[in-house]
């Protein structure tokens, strides 16, 4: 089957990175820096990016990576480097970590902090419409991560502008694909071992989910979107009002006759939730004419939803174009739905957005 090795390496790399991110959260080692766009960056972002790029470069040395982070500011913070180095050294797969088969598949441990920093900086690809590259978001939903909510480790392989492999690691989602959709991660609802999902898809081969583990990959099962009546649909949206227009989305839901309240959730965990039928729609409408989405925020999730039987377009009904560099420069907004509902939903989306412009 095409992309068998890519899927395995991506899945193992994401699984290993979630071990690091969970350790960062539970130990409350949350040193933060400020990026140019003022969003928070945690040491988990840097550590997860280093681990994943290491695995990619070890197995596919010619592939480029479009990563969210770079290490220039980090290099000026020796204390943070030391914290990240210790975390990266401790994030390994396998019971016998020193002689782990899966660790060897991913390239083994870093030699030193410089190699780790260089791996972070290797996520500097410009992307584009030709060749192979990976789109990586080491912690999507950073604010959700910091407050103990939903977040995802996201990785996708893009070949000649098309997403071919997508993997999402969602440590705080319930494992049960039939569990009701909720942004709540309170331990009163489920024990820790009942959380942690790895979603994956290969173009043309369907989508799957499986529990996140700490060694080799655990058994997976196919996932599929539901096809509810529109009035019974559950729609997801971002927690942050700066990421999507809550007002427009509420109006669209009203016009569609949706009566259930939206579920607000950080990160591409929304894509995974919709793909396995826990939710039905994902709306992310533009907050301004100048807002441009990043490819790493959507590549993996778009493929997983499509392979689970859904349709993902922009707010005008156009295909999402991942061949325009590091951003979705030709698209505005995201609409993910079951195939049977997409035409109706897009019609209402266009109507609401058109009315705003007049």
């Amino acid at each position: 089957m095409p992309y068998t090795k890519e899927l395995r390496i991506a899945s193992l790399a994401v699984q290993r990175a979630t071990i690091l991110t969970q350790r960062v959260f539970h130990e409350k080692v949350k040193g933060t820096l400020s990026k140019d766009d003022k969003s928070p960056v945690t040491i988990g972002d840097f550590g997860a990016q280093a681990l994943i790029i290491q695995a990619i470069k070890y197995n596919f040395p010619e592939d480029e990576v479009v990563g969210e982070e770079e290490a220039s500011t980090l290099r000026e913070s020796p204390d943070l480097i030391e914290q990240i180095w210790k975390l990266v050294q401790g994030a390994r797969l396998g019971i016998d970590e020193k002689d782990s088969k899966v660790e060897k598949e991913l390239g083994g441990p870093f030699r030193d902090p410089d190699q780790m920093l260089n791996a972070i900086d290797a996520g500097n690809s410009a992307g584009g419409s030709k060749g192979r590259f990976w789109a990586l978001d080491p912690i999507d939903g950073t604010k959700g991560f910091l407050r103990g909510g939903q977040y995802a480790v996201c990785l996708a392989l893009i070949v000649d502008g098309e997403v071919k492999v997508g993997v999402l690691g969602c440590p705080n989602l319930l494992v049960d694909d039939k569990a009701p959709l909720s942004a709540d991660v309170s331990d009163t609802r489920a024990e820790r071992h009942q959380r942690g999902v790895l979603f994956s898809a290969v173009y043309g081969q369907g989508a799957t989910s499986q529990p996140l583990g700490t060694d080799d990959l655990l058994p997976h099962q196919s996932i599929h979107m539901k096809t509810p009546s529109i009035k019974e649909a559950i729609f997801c949206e971002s927690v942050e009002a700066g990421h999507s227009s809550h007002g427009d989305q509420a109006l669209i839901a009203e016009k569609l006759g949706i009566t259930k309240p939206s579920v607000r959730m950080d990160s591409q965990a929304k894509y995974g939730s919709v793909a396995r039928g826990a939710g039905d729609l994902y709306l992310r409408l533009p907050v301004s004419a100048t807002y441009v989405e990043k490819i790493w925020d959507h590549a993996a999730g778009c493929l997983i939803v499509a392979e689970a039987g859904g349709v993902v377009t922009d707010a005008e009904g156009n295909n999402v174009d991942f061949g325009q560099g590091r951003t979705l420069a030709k698209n505005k907004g995201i609409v993910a739905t079951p195939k049977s509902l997409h035409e109706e939903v897009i019609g209402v989306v266009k109507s609401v957005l058109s009315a705003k412009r007049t």
Side-chain angles (χ1 to χ4, degrees):
M1 298 284 281
Y3 302 109
T4 298
K5 181 178 179 180
E6 287 87 344
L7 175 63
R8 176 167 173 79
I9 296 303
S11 298
L12 286 172
V14 167
Q15 180 163 274
R16 181 173 65 169
T18 64
I19 293 173
L20 181 144
T21 62
Q22 289 295 87
R23 183 177 172 192
V24 169
F25 180 77
H26 290 301
E27 293 183 2
K28 302 189 182 300
V29 186
K30 302 177 193 172
T32 60
L33 300 175
S34 177
K35 289 195 298 188
D36 292 340
D37 64 3
K38 306 303 181 185
S39 61
V41 180
T42 68
I43 60 175
D45 279 294
F46 289 119
Q49 178 153 319
L51 288 170
I52 290 173
I53 292 180
Q54 176 203 27
I56 291 170
K57 288 295 187 178
Y58 179 77
N59 286 278
F60 312 106
E62 301 303 314
D63 287 3
E64 296 185 353
V65 181
V66 177
E68 186 176 12
E69 313 303 341
E70 51 86 26
S72 59
T73 308
L74 178 60
R75 290 177 190 272
E76 301 170 3
S77 305
D79 289 345
L80 274 179
I81 291 174
E82 179 64 20
Q83 288 184 64
I84 296 167
W85 174 242
K86 289 180 179 178
L87 286 162
V88 165
Q89 286 182 304
R92 299 183 185 181
L93 296 172
I95 298 172
D96 183 0
E97 296 175 352
K98 293 182 179 180
D99 191 31
S100 167
K101 173 181 175 290
V102 287
E103 272 298 315
K104 290 178 179 178
E105 283 188 74
L106 300 181
F110 286 109
R111 294 188 307 271
D112 51 47
D114 281 340
Q115 187 188 25
M116 177 188 74
L117 293 172
N118 289 338
I120 295 171
D121 278 338
N124 61 355
S125 173
S129 61
K130 300 296 182 183
R132 284 171 51 118
F133 65 89
W134 298 80
L136 165 63
D137 194 340
I139 296 182
D140 180 36
T142 306
K143 291 182 180 178
F145 169 71
L146 290 172
R147 64 172 173 260
Q150 295 297 343
Y151 72 96
V153 179
C154 313
L155 183 61
L157 173 63
I158 299 172
V159 182
D160 296 334
E162 294 189 352
V163 186
K164 297 298 186 181
V165 178
V167 178
L168 298 175
C170 304
N172 286 336
L173 272 184
L174 290 168
V175 171
D176 184 1
D177 287 333
K178 297 179 181 179
L181 182 62
S182 173
D184 180 25
V185 292
S186 168
D187 285 339
T188 62
R189 297 191 67 245
E191 297 297 327
R192 179 69 253 168
H193 71 274
Q194 295 176 302
R195 298 187 183 278
V197 187
L198 189 70
F199 297 103
S200 62
V202 175
Y203 181 80
Q205 298 179 32
T208 66
S209 74
Q210 61 207 86
L212 280 167
T214 57
D215 197 332
D216 208 337
L217 299 173
L218 295 171
H220 63 263
Q221 61 184 12
S222 296
I223 55 173
H224 306 280
M225 293 191 73
K226 292 189 304 185
T227 53
S229 68
I230 192 67
K231 292 183 180 180
E232 295 299 314
I234 297 172
F235 88 89
C236 309
E237 59 183 348
S238 299
V239 173
E240 302 295 329
H243 292 171
S244 62
S245 176
H246 290 164
D248 290 342
Q249 286 153 195
L251 181 57
I252 289 164
E254 181 183 344
K255 288 182 175 293
L256 287 169
I258 296 173
T259 57
K260 295 178 182 178
S262 69
V263 176
R264 292 182 179 176
M265 182 184 293
D266 292 288
S267 84
Q268 289 186 64
K270 293 184 288 293
Y271 280 114
S273 297
V274 167
R276 66 177 176 175
D280 304 302
L281 314 175
Y282 170 29
L283 302 178
R284 183 177 172 113
L285 302 185
V287 292
S288 72
T290 58
Y291 186 80
V292 181
E293 299 281 359
K294 307 297 193 298
I295 64 170
W296 54 75
D297 284 329
H298 300 282
C302 282
L303 179 65
I304 290 166
V305 166
E307 289 297 317
V311 177
V312 185
T313 68
D314 68 10
E316 294 294 326
N318 302 312
N319 290 333
V320 183
D321 188 346
F322 291 98
Q324 298 299 311
R326 294 172 69 87
T327 68
L328 299 179
K330 287 192 172 182
N331 301 107
K332 291 292 183 184
I334 293 289
V335 178
T337 75
K339 287 181 181 178
S340 61
L341 300 182
H342 193 262
E343 184 176 352
E344 181 179 1
V345 173
I346 280 292
V348 174
V349 169
K350 288 181 177 180
S351 173
V352 167
L353 295 184
S354 176
K356 286 184 65 178
R357 293 191 289 264
T358 59

